[in-house]
Amino acid sequence: MRTALPVGSLHISVATGTLAWGVPLGARFLPKRQRSAAGGGALGLAPLPAIARLALGECFGVVDGSEEGTRRSTKTELLLSSSSVISQRQSFCHIHSRPRNFLGVKNRSTIAKETLAMAESQTSGSAGCESPVKAVPDARVKGIAESIRSIRDFPKPGILFRDVTTLLLNPKAFKDCIDICVERYAESKIDVVAGIEARGFIFGPPIALALGAKFVPVRKAKKLPGEVIGEEYSLEYGTDKIEIHVGAVNPGDRIIVVDDLIATGGTLGAALRLMERVGGEVVECVCVIELPELKGRAKLNGKPLFTVVEFEGH
Ligand SMILES: O=P(O)(O)OC[C@H]1O[C@H](OP(=O)(O)OP(=O)(O)O)[C@H](O)[C@@H]1O
Ligand SMILES: Nc1ncnc2[nH]cnc12
């Protein structure tokens, strides 16, 4: 089955049917918030009319597994590229996955309103790192998003689990994900990459090695053998505590805190507090995936968060 939905430059496409990993979900690609690294983060006046114009329906397409879908996906890539040009900043994708029966055709004015609201939301906040941020080819983000599997009702009913293990099975997408993060902080003089157990241990070390930074494991309670300092937090499903070794982070160290995913923000917020308690300077938090509906950013005490893809729902 294929469903054509209207897309604009910012609402790129909708796919229905079986995705690469065999889970029937619909996918809608949006560009990620464009953020300024140099502070301010203003999208600028000029891009908005262009974004709005495109959102009003200049670009519609379908991406699916069919030959036609493949052809049109080329067009989608072009659109994604053009959104980068429009923003003159990084342009990322969100991938929004929904049950097939939840898909519906949006009218153009709805798309335009959503698009403008998103563009407006992009004008607040900054990337928080002082170095210029390189433009990221959107095609890399699309591949990353498509490599992340979604599993319903795990680990308990009602949770749509975003599984990065399938991203790891795709060396190109995994490398792209690491590269995007490394490029972002290449000039940011990062001393410490703090990775949160367990999945932050997957993404943090390659980023740390590439940046020439220390890797500090932020572990669940009672796992570290030395003297520790800990912080409690609440999860989307449960409560927990994280710890680091005393002395792993020096006062004044410039830190990025890395995890695979931000949901409610409890985990990342706790890691952030921990880093600050030992005198570290958290430059930015970094997650591969964000679930914006859970408003995790609000738990970061104003610290900037960089994410590669966003998924609708939770
Ligand atoms: O934003 P939050 O609501 O805090 O949720 C996000 C956290 O939840 C997951 O880890 P989890 O605690 O499931 O542990 P795991 O990585 O060991 O599986 C995920 O890897 C994040 O660390
Ligand atoms: N929906 C989700 N998928 C994967 N990991 C998570 N951690 C918290 N919520 C999650």
Side-chain angles (χ1 to χ4, degrees), residues 25-69:
L25 290 172
R28 184 168 61 126
F29 296 90
L30 304 173
K32 184 77 177 63
R33 288 181 186 85
Q34 288 89 41
R35 299 190 181 98
S36 162
L43 196 61
L45 291 175
L48 284 172
I51 291 168
R53 196 182 68 239
L54 286 163
L56 278 165
E58 284 190 11
C59 315
F60 282 68
V62 178
V63 176
D64 66 8
S66 71
E67 201 182 320
E68 183 189 5

Side-chain angles (χ1 to χ4, degrees), residues 16 79 118 125 175 276:
T16 63
L79 296 176
M118 184 166 60
K175 183 173 186 303
E276 291 181 342

Side-chain angles (χ1 to χ4, degrees), residues 56 72 80 91 112 126 134 138 159 213 223 229-230 240 255 294:
L56 278 165
R72 293 199 188 182
L80 284 164
S91 184
S126 80
K134 289 183 188 173
D138 294 305
I159 301 291
K223 300 279 187 183
I229 175 168
D240 224 327
I255 304 167
L294 294 173

Side-chain angles (χ1 to χ4, degrees), residues 9-10 34 42-55 82-89 115-116 119 122-123:
S9 69
L10 298 183
Q34 288 89 41
L43 196 61
L45 291 175
L48 284 172
I51 291 168
R53 196 182 68 239
L54 286 163
S82 69
S83 72
S84 299
V85 172
I86 288 164
S87 71
Q88 297 175 340
R89 302 203 189 271
T115 302
L116 283 169
Q122 289 161 356
T123 62

